């Protein structure tokens, strides 16, 4: 995070967007190559989920039955609490500096991952610029969402889906989640309303 964040020029953003093209990614076995020398891959939307799943696998191999892994926005439960009850995971109220939860979810052997605009952002000329960028424009994604939280077995999957659903927006994102098995979601819109996916346990 920069100490003095600033919005890049329109030309700089347009140049960066011109290099966004998944066709330039070549995957051969365990090797990834980019055909565009100006392109790069940022795994920020996946890395913590992958790491959390790897930690869970390691703990399982070591015989650990009960654990909670918290990587900040990525929470993964291994089993239940020692008393057999579910973990109760708070979903942060957007832009609330106290960290107060707006709601919570109960999980065991699942992961909860949240993508939101209220953790990494800055303001310039009265406009809020957050870190979830629209790959078509190069600017922060603009829709009615404050955050998306995904609840599913794999933290990597939850990480990918939380960003994807945020970019899709509330209606298309919720439509996607409602088509997936064993996956639930909480969408918080910019009126601070909480929206649950169809199969969310109530």
């Amino acid at each position: 995070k920069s100490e003095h964040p600033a919005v890049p020029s329109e030309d700089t953003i347009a140049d960066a967007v011109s290099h966004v093209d998944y066709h330039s990614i070549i995957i051969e076995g365990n090797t990834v190559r980019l055909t565009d020398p100006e392109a790069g891959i940022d795994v920020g939307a996946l890395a913590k989920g992958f790491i959390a799943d790897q930690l869970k696998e390691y703990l399982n191999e070591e015989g650990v039955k009960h654990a909670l892994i918290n990587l900040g926005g990525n929470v993964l439960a291994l089993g239940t609490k020692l008393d057999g009850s579910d973990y109760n995971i708070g979903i942060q109220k957007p832009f609330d500096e106290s960290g107060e939860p707006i709601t919570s979810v109960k999980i065991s052997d699942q992961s909860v991952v949240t993508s939101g605009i209220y953790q990494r952002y800055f303001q310039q000329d009265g406009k809020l610029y957050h870190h979830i960028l629209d790959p078509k424009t190069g600017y922060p994604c603009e829709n009615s969402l404050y955050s998306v939280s995904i609840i599913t077995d794999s933290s990597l999957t939850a990480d990918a889906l939380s960003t994807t659903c945020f970019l899709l927006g509330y209606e298309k994102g919720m439509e996607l989640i409602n088509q997936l098995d064993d996956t639930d979601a909480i969408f918080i819109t910019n009126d601070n309303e909480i929206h649950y996916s169809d199969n969310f346990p109530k």
Side-chain angles (χ1 to χ4, degrees):
K1 182 178 178 182
S2 172
E3 289 187 22
H4 305 288
V7 180
S9 71
E10 287 184 20
D11 288 346
T12 300
I13 292 173
D15 181 60
V17 168
S18 73
H19 299 288
V20 177
D21 182 359
Y22 71 91
H23 293 101
S24 68
I25 303 171
I26 308 298
I27 301 173
E28 296 166 337
N30 287 330
T31 303
V32 178
R33 182 167 57 86
L34 294 170
T35 59
D36 180 352
E38 298 299 314
I41 297 176
D42 183 339
V43 295
L46 303 169
K48 284 197 287 187
F50 174 79
I51 292 166
D53 285 342
Q54 294 299 303
L55 286 170
K56 180 180 180 180
E57 186 177 321
Y58 171 76
L59 292 173
N60 270 324
E61 290 170 357
E62 294 297 311
V64 175
K65 304 293 184 195
H66 310 274
L68 190 67
I69 300 165
N70 184 349
L71 301 181
N74 294 56
V75 176
L76 188 150
L78 173 58
T80 62
K81 295 198 287 188
L82 286 172
D83 63 6
S85 63
D86 291 342
Y87 290 95
N88 191 37
I89 308 300
I91 306 297
Q92 187 175 336
K93 184 176 180 180
F95 298 104
D96 188 295
E97 293 183 6
S98 71
E100 176 188 345
I102 193 169
T103 188
S104 64
V105 296
K106 293 187 181 298
I107 61 168
S108 62
D109 259 331
Q110 285 186 304
S111 185
V112 181
V113 177
T114 299
S115 289
I117 67 171
Y118 51 86
Q119 290 287 2
R120 285 179 278 170
Y121 68 92
F122 67 94
Q123 290 188 324
Q124 183 173 310
D125 300 325
K127 183 174 174 60
L128 186 143
Y129 292 87
H130 59 79
H131 74 290
I132 303 176
L133 303 182
D134 183 334
K136 294 183 186 79
T137 67
Y139 287 89
C141 178
E142 290 190 26
N143 57 34
S144 64
L145 291 172
Y146 274 165
S147 71
V148 177
S149 298
I150 304 293
I151 303 96
T152 193
D153 295 342
S154 161
S155 195
L156 174 61
T157 300
D159 215 351
L161 282 173
S162 65
T163 306
T164 299
C165 287
F166 195 100
L167 289 167
L168 286 172
Y170 170 61
E171 291 182 3
K172 289 183 179 178
M174 189 65 85
E175 183 181 346
L176 171 61
I177 295 302
N178 287 332
Q179 294 174 33
L180 300 176
D181 294 329
D182 304 317
T183 303
D184 296 303
I186 299 171
F187 288 66
I188 300 176
T189 45
N190 55 14
D191 53 4
N192 275 321
E193 287 295 315
I194 304 168
H195 308 269
Y196 299 92
S197 54
D198 288 350
N199 296 318
F200 193 91
K202 303 249 169 57

